[in-house]
């Protein structure tokens, strides 16, 4: 059986952003990404700095490790990265194992790759990257992904750092008006130590003002990164 490149498994914890914010979940973080975002808060998944921590695990091994950590204290798993969409058949097998045990599955991806197993995901968050990331969205690919998914099981989320990012988020929302849409405060320094809540709350105040003043953003939900407000830049929470 093919294996999954896993860089960390942790939980139970609380999902800090997006469509299932506040939900108790376990996390499986995969290694490898096709993007190189300037402000990436998980660059260790692709920059080689933690290559020795990457483990190739079968879907059954991933499930067993989650059960060892979380026992019966969870029924939701978030698959994140990097970009989990780089992984094919073994990810489909993993999701099937979760569903066999009545565990719901969330996915976070930037919408740069399509995988058939996306249709099995219960809570799929697509987060196209704004200009501040240094990446460019391929909207032909994103269009095809969204066309093939159930709108009731997916959402769009854009992280916003500045006015240009906000304009980008507005454009994405207008392109896909029927999809639940979230904007989230960006964390400009994911390696800062200590309490960062004041900095994040100031950014949230700015973002809320932008949304409140913009009639084209009436159906948008503007959220903090809840986990960063509570736990700052700690890993494994």
């Amino acid at each position: 059986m093919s294996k999954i490149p896993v860089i960390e498994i942790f939980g139970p914890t609380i999902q800090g952003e997006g469509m299932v914010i506040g939900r108790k979940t376990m996390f499986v973080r995969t290694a490898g990404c096709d993007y190189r975002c300037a402000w990436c808060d998980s660059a260790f998944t692709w920059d080689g700095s933690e290559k020795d921590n990457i483990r190739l695990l079968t879907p059954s091994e991933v499930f067993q490790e989650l059960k060892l950590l979380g026992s019966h204290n969870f029924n939701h798993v978030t698959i994140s990265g990097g970009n989990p969409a780089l992984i094919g058949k073994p990810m489909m097998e993993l999701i099937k194992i979760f569903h066999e045990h009545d565990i719901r599955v969330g996915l976070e991806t930037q919408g740069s790759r399509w995988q058939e197993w996306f249709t099995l995901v219960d809570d799929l968050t697509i987060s196209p990257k704004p200009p501040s990331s240094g990446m460019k969205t391929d909207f032909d690919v994103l269009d095809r992904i969204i066309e093939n998914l159930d709108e009731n099981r997916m959402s769009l989320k854009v992280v916003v750092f500045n006015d240009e990012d906000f304009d980008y988020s507005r454009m994405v929302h207008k392109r896909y008006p029927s999809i639940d849409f979230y904007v989230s405060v960006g964390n400009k320094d994911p390696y800062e130590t200590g309490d960062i809540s004041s900095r994040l709350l100031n950014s949230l105040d700015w973002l809320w003002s932008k949304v409140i003043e913009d009639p084209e953003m009436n159906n948008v939900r503007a959220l903090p990164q809840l986990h960063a407000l509570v736990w700052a830049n700690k890993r494994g929470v």
Side-chain angles (χ1 to χ4, degrees):
M1 182 180 291
S2 298
K3 297 185 178 183
I4 299 169
V6 175
I7 200 162
E8 59 181 2
I9 296 175
F10 61 91
T13 186
I14 300 296
Q15 173 59 260
E17 54 191 330
M19 66 189 297
V20 289
I21 189 170
R23 199 195 202 292
K24 183 163 67 172
T25 187
M26 300 290 289
F27 265 83
V28 176
R29 189 180 299 281
T30 62
C33 193
D34 50 330
Y35 274 21
R36 299 291 184 267
C37 294
W39 35 252
C40 180
D41 62 2
S42 53
F44 58 90
T45 63
W46 51 262
D47 66 6
S49 62
E50 296 193 19
K51 61 182 179 180
D52 292 340
N53 292 332
I54 299 172
R55 296 177 294 152
L56 296 176
L57 303 178
T58 67
S60 293
E61 288 171 336
V62 173
F63 176 70
Q64 290 302 321
E65 186 162 330
L66 285 164
K67 291 299 290 183
L68 185 64
L69 281 172
S71 187
H72 301 291
N73 194 26
F74 72 98
N75 62 5
H76 187 277
V77 175
T78 299
I79 302 170
S80 187
N83 185 8
L86 300 179
I87 304 165
K89 185 177 179 181
M91 193 63 75
M92 180 176 286
E93 294 300 320
L94 179 61
I95 294 171
K96 288 179 178 178
I97 290 173
F98 290 150
H99 285 166
E100 287 169 2
H101 291 83
D102 296 322
I103 296 170
R104 292 178 64 86
V105 181
L107 172 73
E108 298 178 0
T109 182
Q110 61 260 40
S112 60
R113 301 284 185 94
W114 163 257
Q115 292 286 356
E116 291 295 331
W117 54 262
F118 282 5
T119 59
L120 303 179
V121 175
D122 300 291
D123 314 303
L124 198 158
T125 299
I126 298 177
S127 183
K129 305 308 178 188
S132 64
S133 70
M135 300 294 103
K136 186 175 181 180
T137 303
D138 186 332
F139 282 101
D140 289 336
V141 173
L142 189 54
D143 287 347
R144 290 196 297 271
I145 291 173
I146 289 176
E147 287 168 3
N148 282 291
L149 293 173
D150 181 349
E151 291 184 1
N152 296 317
R153 298 168 69 175
M154 66 167 293
S155 68
L156 285 159
K157 182 190 72 178
V158 174
V159 179
V160 176
F161 286 82
N162 54 40
D163 288 338
E164 188 179 14
D165 287 354
F166 187 80
D167 292 342
Y168 171 89
S169 74
R170 185 196 302 111
M171 179 269 293
V172 173
H173 181 44
K174 289 177 69 175
R175 189 180 184 98
Y176 311 106
S178 64
I179 308 297
D180 283 348
F181 195 86
Y182 299 82
V183 286
S184 180
V185 170
N187 181 3
K188 66 180 181 180
D189 186 357
Y191 301 103
E192 180 183 353
T193 59
D195 184 2
I196 62 173
S197 59
S198 293
R199 172 167 63 79
L200 293 177
L201 287 171
N202 286 336
S203 296
L204 184 61
D205 179 60
W206 169 82
L207 181 59
W208 278 4
S209 295
K210 296 285 289 186
V211 170
I212 289 168
E213 294 167 2
D214 192 332
E216 293 186 345
M217 302 293 268
N218 288 349
N219 291 322
V220 169
R221 301 173 198 176
L223 298 177
Q225 286 188 316
L226 189 60
H227 57 291
L229 281 178
V230 177
W231 290 318
N233 287 322
K234 289 168 62 177
R235 285 269 299 273
V237 293

